[in-house]
PDB file of all heavy atoms in Angstrom:
ATOM      1  N   ARG A   1     104.727 116.395  90.241  1.00 97.00           N
ATOM      2  CA  ARG A   1     105.327 116.675  88.934  1.00 97.00           C
ATOM      3  C   ARG A   1     105.264 118.169  88.620  1.00 97.00           C
ATOM      4  O   ARG A   1     106.223 118.749  88.079  1.00 97.00           O
ATOM      5  CB  ARG A   1     104.614 115.889  87.829  1.00 97.00           C
ATOM      6  CG  ARG A   1     104.861 114.394  87.836  1.00 97.00           C
ATOM      7  CD  ARG A   1     104.466 113.798  86.501  1.00 97.00           C
ATOM      8  NE  ARG A   1     104.368 112.348  86.575  1.00 97.00           N
ATOM      9  CZ  ARG A   1     103.235 111.673  86.653  1.00 97.00           C
ATOM     10  NH1 ARG A   1     102.075 112.316  86.649  1.00 97.00           N
ATOM     11  NH2 ARG A   1     103.223 110.355  86.708  1.00 97.00           N
ATOM     12  N   GLN A   2     104.150 118.797  88.940  1.00 97.00           N
ATOM     13  CA  GLN A   2     104.006 120.233  88.689  1.00 97.00           C
ATOM     14  C   GLN A   2     105.001 121.040  89.505  1.00 97.00           C
ATOM     15  O   GLN A   2     105.614 121.994  89.012  1.00 97.00           O
ATOM     16  CB  GLN A   2     102.573 120.672  88.999  1.00 97.00           C
ATOM     17  CG  GLN A   2     101.540 120.136  88.033  1.00 97.00           C
ATOM     18  CD  GLN A   2     100.127 120.511  88.450  1.00 97.00           C
ATOM     19  OE1 GLN A   2      99.700 120.264  89.573  1.00 97.00           O
ATOM     20  NE2 GLN A   2      99.384 121.122  87.542  1.00 97.00           N
ATOM     21  N   LEU A   3     105.174 120.657  90.779  1.00 97.00           N
ATOM     22  CA  LEU A   3     106.176 121.326  91.609  1.00 97.00           C
ATOM     23  C   LEU A   3     107.561 121.191  91.008  1.00 97.00           C
ATOM     24  O   LEU A   3     108.317 122.167  90.893  1.00 97.00           O
ATOM     25  CB  LEU A   3     106.185 120.736  93.019  1.00 97.00           C
ATOM     26  CG  LEU A   3     105.075 121.087  93.997  1.00 97.00           C
ATOM     27  CD1 LEU A   3     105.316 120.383  95.320  1.00 97.00           C
ATOM     28  CD2 LEU A   3     104.990 122.581  94.210  1.00 97.00           C
ATOM     29  N   HIS A   4     107.901 119.974  90.626  1.00 97.00           N
ATOM     30  CA  HIS A   4     109.246 119.706  90.129  1.00 97.00           C
ATOM     31  C   HIS A   4     109.496 120.410  88.795  1.00 97.00           C
ATOM     32  O   HIS A   4     110.609 120.872  88.530  1.00 97.00           O
ATOM     33  CB  HIS A   4     109.458 118.200  90.000  1.00 97.00           C
ATOM     34  CG  HIS A   4     109.384 117.502  91.325  1.00 97.00           C
ATOM     35  ND1 HIS A   4     108.999 116.175  91.460  1.00 97.00           N
ATOM     36  CD2 HIS A   4     109.633 117.951  92.601  1.00 97.00           C
ATOM     37  CE1 HIS A   4     109.024 115.839  92.740  1.00 97.00           C
ATOM     38  NE2 HIS A   4     109.396 116.896  93.445  1.00 97.00           N
ATOM     39  N   ARG A   5     108.480 120.520  87.959  1.00 97.00           N
ATOM     40  CA  ARG A   5     108.637 121.240  86.703  1.00 97.00           C
ATOM     41  C   ARG A   5     108.851 122.727  86.920  1.00 97.00           C
ATOM     42  O   ARG A   5     109.434 123.399  86.072  1.00 97.00           O
ATOM     43  CB  ARG A   5     107.413 121.015  85.808  1.00 97.00           C
ATOM     44  CG  ARG A   5     107.356 119.620  85.197  1.00 97.00           C
ATOM     45  CD  ARG A   5     106.021 119.366  84.532  1.00 97.00           C
ATOM     46  NE  ARG A   5     105.933 118.005  84.009  1.00 97.00           N
ATOM     47  CZ  ARG A   5     104.798 117.415  83.644  1.00 97.00           C
ATOM     48  NH1 ARG A   5     103.640 118.076  83.758  1.00 97.00           N
ATOM     49  NH2 ARG A   5     104.801 116.180  83.176  1.00 97.00           N
ATOM     50  N   ARG A   6     108.373 123.228  88.035  1.00 96.00           N
ATOM     51  CA  ARG A   6     108.610 124.633  88.398  1.00 96.00           C
ATOM     52  C   ARG A   6     110.011 124.843  88.976  1.00 96.00           C
ATOM     53  O   ARG A   6     110.373 125.954  89.354  1.00 96.00           O
ATOM     54  CB  ARG A   6     107.572 125.093  89.428  1.00 96.00           C
ATOM     55  CG  ARG A   6     106.140 125.182  88.928  1.00 96.00           C
ATOM     56  CD  ARG A   6     105.897 126.424  88.101  1.00 96.00           C
ATOM     57  NE  ARG A   6     104.491 126.611  87.798  1.00 96.00           N
ATOM     58  CZ  ARG A   6     103.687 127.487  88.415  1.00 96.00           C
ATOM     59  NH1 ARG A   6     104.163 128.265  89.366  1.00 96.00           N
ATOM     60  NH2 ARG A   6     102.419 127.600  88.068  1.00 96.00           N
ATOM     61  N   GLY A   7     110.777 123.763  89.103  1.00 97.00           N
ATOM     62  CA  GLY A   7     112.112 123.874  89.672  1.00 97.00           C
ATOM     63  C   GLY A   7     112.119 123.939  91.176  1.00 97.00           C
ATOM     64  O   GLY A   7     112.921 124.656  91.782  1.00 97.00           O
ATOM     65  N   LEU A   8     111.225 123.160  91.805  1.00 98.00           N
ATOM     66  CA  LEU A   8     111.124 123.164  93.260  1.00 98.00           C
ATOM     67  C   LEU A   8     111.006 121.741  93.784  1.00 98.00           C
ATOM     68  O   LEU A   8     110.188 120.959  93.295  1.00 98.00           O
ATOM     69  CB  LEU A   8     109.897 123.968  93.705  1.00 98.00           C
ATOM     70  CG  LEU A   8     109.803 124.235  95.205  1.00 98.00           C
ATOM     71  CD1 LEU A   8     110.783 125.337  95.602  1.00 98.00           C
ATOM     72  CD2 LEU A   8     108.394 124.639  95.599  1.00 98.00           C
ATOM     73  N   ALA A   9     111.848 121.407  94.755  1.00 97.00           N
ATOM     74  CA  ALA A   9     111.737 120.140  95.483  1.00 97.00           C
ATOM     75  C   ALA A   9     111.374 120.467  96.925  1.00 97.00           C
ATOM     76  O   ALA A   9     111.966 121.365  97.533  1.00 97.00           O
ATOM     77  CB  ALA A   9     113.053 119.363  95.433  1.00 97.00           C
ATOM     78  N   HIS A  10     110.396 119.759  97.479  1.00 97.00           N
ATOM     79  CA  HIS A  10     109.881 120.101  98.801  1.00 97.00           C
ATOM     80  C   HIS A  10     110.828 119.707  99.922  1.00 97.00           C
ATOM     81  O   HIS A  10     111.050 120.457 100.876  1.00 97.00           O
ATOM     82  CB  HIS A  10     108.514 119.431  99.002  1.00 97.00           C
ATOM     83  CG  HIS A  10     107.807 119.863 100.242  1.00 97.00           C
ATOM     84  ND1 HIS A  10     108.119 119.358 101.494  1.00 97.00           N
ATOM     85  CD2 HIS A  10     106.794 120.741 100.440  1.00 97.00           C
ATOM     86  CE1 HIS A  10     107.324 119.911 102.392  1.00 97.00           C
ATOM     87  NE2 HIS A  10     106.514 120.755 101.783  1.00 97.00           N
ATOM     88  N   ASN A  11     111.338 118.488  99.894  1.00 94.00           N
ATOM     89  CA  ASN A  11     112.342 117.976 100.842  1.00 94.00           C
ATOM     90  C   ASN A  11     111.817 117.611 102.223  1.00 94.00           C
ATOM     91  O   ASN A  11     112.613 117.226 103.087  1.00 94.00           O
ATOM     92  CB  ASN A  11     113.496 118.980 101.031  1.00 94.00           C
ATOM     93  CG  ASN A  11     114.281 119.229  99.769  1.00 94.00           C
ATOM     94  OD1 ASN A  11     114.415 118.342  98.927  1.00 94.00           O
ATOM     95  ND2 ASN A  11     114.789 120.431  99.617  1.00 94.00           N
ATOM     96  N   ASP A  12     110.514 117.704 102.456  1.00 93.00           N
ATOM     97  CA  ASP A  12     110.001 117.386 103.795  1.00 93.00           C
ATOM     98  C   ASP A  12     108.660 116.663 103.709  1.00 93.00           C
ATOM     99  O   ASP A  12     107.791 116.853 104.559  1.00 93.00           O
ATOM    100  CB  ASP A  12     109.868 118.669 104.615  1.00 93.00           C
ATOM    101  CG  ASP A  12     109.902 118.414 106.127  1.00 93.00           C
ATOM    102  OD1 ASP A  12     110.378 117.343 106.539  1.00 93.00           O
ATOM    103  OD2 ASP A  12     109.452 119.296 106.882  1.00 93.00           O
ATOM    104  N   LEU A  13     108.510 115.808 102.704  1.00 97.00           N
ATOM    105  CA  LEU A  13     107.227 115.154 102.472  1.00 97.00           C
ATOM    106  C   LEU A  13     107.095 113.814 103.183  1.00 97.00           C
ATOM    107  O   LEU A  13     106.061 113.152 103.057  1.00 97.00           O
ATOM    108  CB  LEU A  13     106.988 114.988 100.969  1.00 97.00           C
ATOM    109  CG  LEU A  13     106.776 116.309 100.228  1.00 97.00           C
ATOM    110  CD1 LEU A  13     106.605 116.060  98.735  1.00 97.00           C
ATOM    111  CD2 LEU A  13     105.574 117.066 100.791  1.00 97.00           C
ATOM    112  N   ALA A  14     108.113 113.424 103.941  1.00 94.00           N
ATOM    113  CA  ALA A  14     107.949 112.245 104.786  1.00 94.00           C
ATOM    114  C   ALA A  14     106.943 112.528 105.901  1.00 94.00           C
ATOM    115  O   ALA A  14     106.303 111.610 106.421  1.00 94.00           O
ATOM    116  CB  ALA A  14     109.290 111.829 105.389  1.00 94.00           C
ATOM    117  N   LYS A  15     106.774 113.797 106.248  1.00 95.00           N
ATOM    118  CA  LYS A  15     105.852 114.186 107.308  1.00 95.00           C
ATOM    119  C   LYS A  15     104.418 114.217 106.793  1.00 95.00           C
ATOM    120  O   LYS A  15     104.097 114.968 105.864  1.00 95.00           O
ATOM    121  CB  LYS A  15     106.229 115.568 107.848  1.00 95.00           C
ATOM    122  CG  LYS A  15     107.565 115.608 108.568  1.00 95.00           C
ATOM    123  CD  LYS A  15     107.823 117.001 109.109  1.00 95.00           C
ATOM    124  CE  LYS A  15     109.133 117.063 109.876  1.00 95.00           C
ATOM    125  NZ  LYS A  15     109.394 118.421 110.400  1.00 95.00           N
ATOM    126  N   GLU A  16     103.568 113.450 107.417  1.00 97.00           N
ATOM    127  CA  GLU A  16     102.166 113.446 107.014  1.00 97.00           C
ATOM    128  C   GLU A  16     101.511 114.805 107.250  1.00 97.00           C
ATOM    129  O   GLU A  16     100.539 115.167 106.568  1.00 97.00           O
ATOM    130  CB  GLU A  16     101.402 112.358 107.771  1.00 97.00           C
ATOM    131  CG  GLU A  16     101.827 110.951 107.407  1.00 97.00           C
ATOM    132  CD  GLU A  16     100.923 109.896 108.019  1.00 97.00           C
ATOM    133  OE1 GLU A  16      99.806 110.243 108.440  1.00 97.00           O
ATOM    134  OE2 GLU A  16     101.331 108.726 108.059  1.00 97.00           O
ATOM    135  N   ALA A  17     102.037 115.569 108.196  1.00 95.00           N
ATOM    136  CA  ALA A  17     101.470 116.884 108.478  1.00 95.00           C
ATOM    137  C   ALA A  17     101.629 117.844 107.306  1.00 95.00           C
ATOM    138  O   ALA A  17     100.917 118.849 107.224  1.00 95.00           O
ATOM    139  CB  ALA A  17     102.128 117.479 109.722  1.00 95.00           C
ATOM    140  N   ASN A  18     102.558 117.558 106.404  1.00 96.00           N
ATOM    141  CA  ASN A  18     102.780 118.436 105.258  1.00 96.00           C
ATOM    142  C   ASN A  18     101.944 118.056 104.044  1.00 96.00           C
ATOM    143  O   ASN A  18     101.987 118.753 103.022  1.00 96.00           O
ATOM    144  CB  ASN A  18     104.266 118.451 104.891  1.00 96.00           C
ATOM    145  CG  ASN A  18     105.089 119.161 105.952  1.00 96.00           C
ATOM    146  OD1 ASN A  18     104.556 119.923 106.750  1.00 96.00           O
ATOM    147  ND2 ASN A  18     106.381 118.896 105.976  1.00 96.00           N
ATOM    148  N   TRP A  19     101.203 116.959 104.145  1.00 98.00           N
ATOM    149  CA  TRP A  19     100.238 116.569 103.112  1.00 98.00           C
ATOM    150  C   TRP A  19      98.831 116.869 103.633  1.00 98.00           C
ATOM    151  O   TRP A  19      98.471 116.435 104.722  1.00 98.00           O
ATOM    152  CB  TRP A  19     100.339 115.078 102.810  1.00 98.00           C
ATOM    153  CG  TRP A  19     101.514 114.685 101.978  1.00 98.00           C
ATOM    154  CD1 TRP A  19     102.684 114.132 102.412  1.00 98.00           C
ATOM    155  CD2 TRP A  19     101.628 114.786 100.558  1.00 98.00           C
ATOM    156  NE1 TRP A  19     103.523 113.898 101.358  1.00 98.00           N
ATOM    157  CE2 TRP A  19     102.896 114.289 100.200  1.00 98.00           C
ATOM    158  CE3 TRP A  19     100.772 115.259  99.548  1.00 98.00           C
ATOM    159  CZ2 TRP A  19     103.336 114.242  98.868  1.00 98.00           C
ATOM    160  CZ3 TRP A  19     101.216 115.226  98.236  1.00 98.00           C
ATOM    161  CH2 TRP A  19     102.477 114.717  97.908  1.00 98.00           C
ATOM    162  N   LEU A  20      98.056 117.584 102.851  1.00 98.00           N
ATOM    163  CA  LEU A  20      96.672 117.852 103.217  1.00 98.00           C
ATOM    164  C   LEU A  20      95.720 116.984 102.399  1.00 98.00           C
ATOM    165  O   LEU A  20      96.006 116.617 101.258  1.00 98.00           O
ATOM    166  CB  LEU A  20      96.318 119.318 102.963  1.00 98.00           C
ATOM    167  CG  LEU A  20      97.046 120.389 103.773  1.00 98.00           C
ATOM    168  CD1 LEU A  20      96.451 121.754 103.447  1.00 98.00           C
ATOM    169  CD2 LEU A  20      96.984 120.112 105.265  1.00 98.00           C
ATOM    170  N   VAL A  21      94.596 116.657 103.034  1.00 98.00           N
ATOM    171  CA  VAL A  21      93.436 116.138 102.305  1.00 98.00           C
ATOM    172  C   VAL A  21      92.444 117.294 102.326  1.00 98.00           C
ATOM    173  O   VAL A  21      91.892 117.643 103.370  1.00 98.00           O
ATOM    174  CB  VAL A  21      92.848 114.884 102.968  1.00 98.00           C
ATOM    175  CG1 VAL A  21      91.659 114.373 102.157  1.00 98.00           C
ATOM    176  CG2 VAL A  21      93.918 113.800 103.089  1.00 98.00           C
ATOM    177  N   LEU A  22      92.267 117.926 101.170  1.00 97.00           N
ATOM    178  CA  LEU A  22      91.435 119.115 101.087  1.00 97.00           C
ATOM    179  C   LEU A  22      89.960 118.758 101.220  1.00 97.00           C
ATOM    180  O   LEU A  22      89.585 117.588 101.209  1.00 97.00           O
ATOM    181  CB  LEU A  22      91.705 119.842  99.769  1.00 97.00           C
ATOM    182  CG  LEU A  22      93.165 120.306  99.574  1.00 97.00           C
ATOM    183  CD1 LEU A  22      93.349 120.934  98.205  1.00 97.00           C
ATOM    184  CD2 LEU A  22      93.585 121.272 100.676  1.00 97.00           C
ATOM    185  N   ALA A  23      89.142 119.787 101.344  1.00 95.00           N
ATOM    186  CA  ALA A  23      87.714 119.577 101.587  1.00 95.00           C
ATOM    187  C   ALA A  23      87.063 118.713 100.515  1.00 95.00           C
ATOM    188  O   ALA A  23      86.139 117.944 100.792  1.00 95.00           O
ATOM    189  CB  ALA A  23      87.001 120.923 101.687  1.00 95.00           C
ATOM    190  N   ASP A  24      87.563 118.800  99.265  1.00 96.00           N
ATOM    191  CA  ASP A  24      86.993 118.001  98.177  1.00 96.00           C
ATOM    192  C   ASP A  24      87.694 116.664  97.991  1.00 96.00           C
ATOM    193  O   ASP A  24      87.432 115.939  97.034  1.00 96.00           O
ATOM    194  CB  ASP A  24      87.021 118.788  96.865  1.00 96.00           C
ATOM    195  CG  ASP A  24      88.455 119.109  96.412  1.00 96.00           C
ATOM    196  OD1 ASP A  24      89.409 118.780  97.154  1.00 96.00           O
ATOM    197  OD2 ASP A  24      88.608 119.698  95.318  1.00 96.00           O
ATOM    198  N   GLY A  25      88.610 116.317  98.931  1.00 97.00           N
ATOM    199  CA  GLY A  25      89.315 115.044  98.872  1.00 97.00           C
ATOM    200  C   GLY A  25      90.611 115.077  98.083  1.00 97.00           C
ATOM    201  O   GLY A  25      91.342 114.087  98.043  1.00 97.00           O
ATOM    202  N   ALA A  26      90.924 116.211  97.467  1.00 97.00           N
ATOM    203  CA  ALA A  26      92.146 116.333  96.680  1.00 97.00           C
ATOM    204  C   ALA A  26      93.363 116.533  97.593  1.00 97.00           C
ATOM    205  O   ALA A  26      93.225 116.974  98.733  1.00 97.00           O
ATOM    206  CB  ALA A  26      92.020 117.501  95.713  1.00 97.00           C
ATOM    207  N   PRO A  27      94.554 116.242  97.096  1.00 98.00           N
ATOM    208  CA  PRO A  27      95.764 116.456  97.893  1.00 98.00           C
ATOM    209  C   PRO A  27      96.206 117.911  97.872  1.00 98.00           C
ATOM    210  O   PRO A  27      95.941 118.653  96.912  1.00 98.00           O
ATOM    211  CB  PRO A  27      96.806 115.576  97.200  1.00 98.00           C
ATOM    212  CG  PRO A  27      96.353 115.543  95.771  1.00 98.00           C
ATOM    213  CD  PRO A  27      94.854 115.566  95.818  1.00 98.00           C
ATOM    214  N   GLY A  28      96.872 118.316  98.929  1.00 98.00           N
ATOM    215  CA  GLY A  28      97.500 119.625  99.003  1.00 98.00           C
ATOM    216  C   GLY A  28      98.829 119.486  99.725  1.00 98.00           C
ATOM    217  O   GLY A  28      99.042 118.526 100.475  1.00 98.00           O
ATOM    218  N   ILE A  29      99.720 120.417  99.506  1.00 98.00           N
ATOM    219  CA  ILE A  29     101.052 120.383 100.129  1.00 98.00           C
ATOM    220  C   ILE A  29     101.309 121.723 100.803  1.00 98.00           C
ATOM    221  O   ILE A  29     101.055 122.781 100.215  1.00 98.00           O
ATOM    222  CB  ILE A  29     102.151 120.097  99.091  1.00 98.00           C
ATOM    223  CG1 ILE A  29     101.957 118.721  98.458  1.00 98.00           C
ATOM    224  CG2 ILE A  29     103.533 120.184  99.731  1.00 98.00           C
ATOM    225  CD1 ILE A  29     102.956 118.404  97.356  1.00 98.00           C
ATOM    226  N   ILE A  30     101.821 121.683 102.029  1.00 96.00           N
ATOM    227  CA  ILE A  30     102.148 122.904 102.766  1.00 96.00           C
ATOM    228  C   ILE A  30     103.551 122.805 103.345  1.00 96.00           C
ATOM    229  O   ILE A  30     104.216 121.770 103.225  1.00 96.00           O
ATOM    230  CB  ILE A  30     101.140 123.166 103.909  1.00 96.00           C
ATOM    231  CG1 ILE A  30     101.147 121.993 104.905  1.00 96.00           C
ATOM    232  CG2 ILE A  30      99.748 123.408 103.349  1.00 96.00           C
ATOM    233  CD1 ILE A  30     100.316 122.266 106.156  1.00 96.00           C
TER     234      ILE A  30
END
């Protein structure tokens, strides 16, 4: 939601490699 409110769509989130599980367990996107 935060990304989309900034006017950005990622378009490649079907790839699990683009989703991170950060050190504290939170999600990240690359």
